[in-house]
Amino acid sequence: MPVLRWIRRNLVVIAGLLTLAYMILPNIVVMVFSFNKPKGRFNYSWQQFSKEAWKDPCGVADLCGSLSLSLQIAFWATLGATALGTMIAFALVRYRFRARGAINSLIFLPMAMPEVVMAASLLTLFLNMGAQLGFWTVLIAHIMFCLSFVVTAVKARVMSMDPRLEEAARDLYAGPVQTFVRVTLPIAAPGIAAGALLAFALSFDDFIITNFNAGSTVTFPMFVWGSAQRGTPVQINVIGTAMFVIAVLMVLVGQLIASRRKSNARN
């Protein structure tokens, strides 16, 4: 039958679209319920269309404060993890030293290890050091957690780089710094950017490690978890929808810039 033949030819595309729809469905539900006016404390059933929550997204006490704190931690954790992860990735790819193989293996442990194990280990470390739990312990924990992901992303990019480009720059009398800034860094930039974006998303979204090491500090994921026990305000859906839309726009802008660069390179 023609329909069956068409399905066989496009089976991979259909499976991909269904998987994408399955992944996006929760975001669509969050988006729809950001326009709901619930009767009671919980925003779990549709009652009435309303834009009140969008007009006052900070109408719930401490919501925007926790959001601001999460953004600050994610920003500084991204900077720290990206800087350290980039240097580690270059060291692992470009240099030969003792225990290099062991370090390569250890880098993957935080990604393979359950978050609760890492969270408990970091908490034990902070308590043994006598550190006061709060902003700084969460920031250190997030940098430790995100570091492996940045190293993996940057390392994959550095391994695919053609060393002849750097050799050509040195043949043209470019110094080490000039070669790194004008040749090495632009080539490695996509991997560094991918690692940074991944680190930001992981840090902002993390709950388990934060919950163990936050003390009295309340980030946005912790605020959402606490609100779910007492009642879920619509403003949480508003913030989630806004973040989803911003992320999608960033991806679309990135794709547009990449396509323009490719077209300019062809011309």
Side-chain angles (χ1 to χ4, degrees):
M1 294 178 66
V3 176
L4 292 177
R5 287 197 298 269
W6 181 86
I7 292 176
R8 290 195 199 98
R9 286 198 305 268
N10 299 277
L11 187 59
V12 176
V13 177
I14 294 172
L17 291 175
L18 290 175
T19 303
L20 184 63
Y22 177 76
M23 293 173 61
I24 294 178
L25 182 60
N27 297 287
I28 301 299
V29 173
V30 169
M31 189 180 300
V32 170
F33 276 83
S34 67
F35 294 97
N36 187 30
K37 186 176 182 179
K39 296 179 181 178
R41 297 180 300 169
F42 296 96
N43 186 26
Y44 296 153
S45 59
W46 181 262
Q47 300 293 334
Q48 181 182 350
F49 179 84
S50 175
K51 295 186 290 184
E52 293 180 6
W54 281 93
K55 294 178 182 178
D56 188 17
C58 296
V60 179
D62 299 328
L63 189 152
C64 284
S66 64
L67 176 63
S68 174
L69 182 62
S70 284
L71 290 173
Q72 292 178 47
I73 292 174
F75 174 77
W76 292 113
T78 300
L79 284 183
T82 303
L84 293 173
T86 300
M87 291 188 286
I88 293 172
F90 271 94
L92 290 174
V93 174
R94 295 293 179 84
Y95 299 97
R96 299 293 181 269
F97 51 89
R98 289 184 179 180
R100 178 172 171 265
I103 293 174
N104 263 318
S105 301
L106 289 172
I107 285 296
F108 290 96
L109 276 181
M111 294 189 292
M113 185 187 303
E115 278 192 50
V116 66
V117 176
M118 186 174 184
S121 302
L122 288 168
L123 176 61
T124 303
L125 174 65
F126 291 138
L127 292 179
N128 288 333
M129 293 175 59
Q132 183 177 359
L133 299 180
F135 178 88
W136 293 108
T137 55
V138 173
L139 179 59
I140 294 171
H142 281 207
I143 292 175
M144 294 290 293
F145 172 62
C146 298
L147 190 59
S148 297
F149 295 91
V150 177
V151 172
T152 303
V154 179
K155 185 181 171 185
R157 182 65 178 179
V158 175
M159 290 178 67
S160 65
M161 291 172 57
D162 189 352
R164 291 175 296 182
L165 297 174
E166 295 169 291
E167 293 173 3
R170 288 191 291 268
D171 290 341
L172 295 172
Y173 304 102
V177 176
Q178 193 174 16
T179 301
F180 179 79
V181 172
R182 296 197 173 185
V183 179
T184 307
L185 191 59
I187 298 175
I192 297 173
L197 290 173
L198 184 59
F200 185 90
L202 290 169
S203 175
F204 182 86
D205 185 57
D206 183 77
F207 172 77
I208 297 176
I209 293 177
T210 306
N211 190 40
F212 270 73
N213 299 280
S216 59
T217 303
V218 179
T219 60
F220 184 68
M222 294 178 65
F223 179 87
V224 173
W225 178 80
S227 298
Q229 315 303 313
R230 306 182 303 271
T232 310
V234 185
Q235 281 81 357
I236 290 178
N237 296 67
V238 172
I239 298 297
T241 301
M243 294 183 62
F244 174 72
V245 171
I246 292 172
V248 171
L249 289 177
M250 288 178 63
V251 172
L252 292 177
V253 170
Q255 292 292 332
L256 181 62
I257 293 174
S259 62
R260 285 187 176 180
R261 285 180 178 176
K262 287 181 180 179
S263 62
N264 291 337
R266 291 172 183 172
N267 297 330

